Amino acid sequence: MKTINLIGSGRVGQTLGRLMAQTGAYKVQDVLTRSAASARLAVDFIGSGRAVANMADLQSADLWMLAVPDVQIAPVAAALAQRQAAPPAALVFHCSGALGSKELQPLQAIDWQVASAHCLLSFAKPESALSQFAGTPCALEGDAIAVNALRPLFEQLGAQCFELAATDKLAYHAGAVFATNFLPVLQHLAEQLWQHSGMPPELALQLRTTLLTNAVNNIIQLGPQGALTGPAARGDSTLVAAQGQVVEQWNTQAGAAYRALSALAADLAASRQSSS
């Protein structure tokens, strides 16, 4: 059985590590995180592996996963390549959606195969992500040998793999941000505005369930164009302007966001009309 070392094991690393351990595709060997305590917690969740305290304690492995924040990928790769008794050539990938495999260049320079593998899923909780993972799109990019090796692995985990050019990763990841990361922000703003206007908190909490569920169901059934409603979609520019002013008085950034999103909503409504 091949071995894998994990550097960084937050929500993404824990989820992928446990999936790999469950499938038996790879043996999770060493787990290195910011602290020994967090490494032990990660090992407990994954169900296998050895928590290590520093990079010098890492054993050689067939596969290395860097599930660290984007800004740490290049420094970690450099440190791994330069450490004493550097491990023999292996395959390494990072999990960033925005950055390409060039962040791993120090390892590529010592003959490692490098890649990036981004699973398009909201890893809010590892426990939930495990049950949601099946069918998740996975963008692969990097050395051909690395990509060809990672594809069957991630497909075994339940992902739907596709290849992505490094130059397209920022745009691809921005799409993921719009689809997932901004939704909690918009919901938070909505609830703040409701509270600001005097809506009882229990009704705002109820709307969190009903409005979001209905909106998502409409998008699934009708598509974004068909699900679009509201003043911008109706072409009510007077109301859009009045609401934008009120929101801006309450929160300048929220007002700018309201105007920008209303303009995009008007464009979407126009495209709906032109296509009908």
Side-chain angles (χ1 to χ4, degrees):
M1 181 185 298
K2 292 185 177 181
T3 55
I4 178 172
N5 285 347
L6 278 59
I7 300 181
S9 195
R11 292 171 291 188
V12 174
Q14 288 181 37
T15 302
L16 294 180
R18 182 158 170 175
L19 287 171
M20 290 179 185
Q22 288 176 343
T23 62
Y26 279 83
K27 175 186 176 182
V28 177
Q29 183 175 254
D30 292 340
V31 178
L32 173 65
T33 65
R34 293 179 178 177
S35 69
S38 65
R40 286 193 294 270
L41 289 174
V43 167
D44 289 342
F45 180 83
I46 292 169
S48 62
R50 179 180 71 116
V52 300
N54 54 70
M55 194 169 289
D57 294 330
L58 291 167
Q59 305 170 82
S60 297
D62 301 300
L63 180 64
W64 295 69
M65 177 170 69
L66 274 56
V68 298
D70 286 9
V71 296
Q72 295 181 13
I73 294 173
V76 168
L80 184 57
Q82 295 173 3
R83 74 189 182 109
Q84 273 193 326
L91 193 159
V92 58
F93 71 96
H94 68 69
C95 300
S96 170
L99 301 179
S101 56
K102 67 179 182 180
E103 302 296 312
L104 303 173
Q105 193 278 330
L107 292 166
Q108 189 178 42
I110 59 171
D111 297 327
W112 286 36
Q113 298 296 322
V114 302
S116 65
H118 179 256
C119 299
L120 189 45
L121 179 70
S122 179
F123 292 85
K125 290 181 62 178
E127 296 85 352
S128 301
L130 287 173
S131 61
Q132 298 167 349
F133 191 84
T136 295
C138 179
L140 300 177
E141 172 275 329
D143 294 339
I145 293 176
V147 168
N148 290 336
L150 290 175
R151 180 184 294 274
L153 170 59
F154 276 92
E155 288 178 347
Q156 188 174 359
L157 301 185
Q160 298 185 74
C161 297
F162 65 100
E163 292 188 35
L164 191 68
T167 52
D168 292 329
K169 290 205 70 176
L170 283 173
Y172 152 80
H173 193 255
V177 171
F178 273 107
T180 59
N181 302 151
F182 286 159
L183 185 57
V185 177
L186 294 174
Q187 182 62 26
H188 178 65
L189 284 175
E191 293 180 9
Q192 284 188 313
L193 280 165
W194 289 332
Q195 293 174 18
H196 177 71
S197 63
M199 178 186 289
E202 62 273 14
L203 287 182
L205 186 60
Q206 177 182 328
L207 285 175
R208 180 188 297 177
T209 300
T210 56
L211 284 183
L212 283 175
T213 300
N214 292 339
V216 170
N217 286 338
N218 286 340
I219 293 172
I220 292 172
Q221 295 171 15
L222 305 173
Q225 288 182 326
L228 182 65
T229 61
R234 297 192 302 268
D236 193 341
S237 58
T238 301
L239 179 54
V240 169
Q243 283 186 331
Q245 184 175 6
V246 168
V247 175
E248 187 174 26
Q249 290 172 351
W250 170 72
N251 183 302
T252 303
Q253 288 182 311
Y258 180 90
R259 287 195 172 90
L261 290 170
S262 293
L264 291 170
D267 291 342
L268 182 58
S271 68
R272 176 175 62 188
Q273 293 172 357
S274 63
S275 62
S276 61

